[in-house]
Amino acid sequence: MNPDDPLLKILACPLDKGPLVLLLPEEPGPDAGTDAGADTGTGGTDQALYNPRLRRRYPILDGIPQLLPSSGEQVTEDEHERLLKRAAS
């Protein structure tokens, strides 16, 4: 999925029906080790859709958004801040 995908305009969070933010794969930094992103529970480099209002992340697997309420993962305060920065870049 890419930021220009028209599907993004119609996708909504299954819980609050609000818009979602596309999180593109992270690029490892120069000092990133093999455990980069290990705290995310999803490998840290995968695409996802994020609802910053509810602080829930929904994975995109093989290009297909997983938007069932049970597919969403609640994120911590630190992870929320990191995801907001990631979405802004």
Side-chain angles (χ1 to χ4, degrees):
M1 187 168 268
N2 64 55
D4 299 327
D5 196 324
L7 187 60
L8 284 175
K9 294 180 183 177
I10 62 171
L11 290 177
C13 175
L15 298 175
D16 74 356
K17 310 302 186 232
L20 297 165
V21 176
L22 177 64
L23 300 172
L24 297 173
E26 290 181 293
E27 295 182 21
D31 60 341
T34 57
D35 64 343
D39 64 330
T40 66
T42 59
T45 58
D46 298 328
Q47 281 190 332
L49 292 169
Y50 184 59
N51 179 339
R53 298 168 307 284
L54 299 180
R55 297 182 181 183
R56 292 188 67 82
R57 176 179 43 214
Y58 297 93
I60 299 174
L61 303 175
D62 296 324
I64 301 169
Q66 307 299 305
L67 292 176
L68 293 173
S70 61
S71 299
E73 174 188 29
Q74 195 72 34
V75 301
T76 64
E77 179 68 29
D78 292 338
E79 181 73 1
H80 171 70
E81 295 298 324
R82 191 179 71 75
L83 291 175
L84 287 179
K85 289 177 187 173
R86 183 174 156 193
S89 58

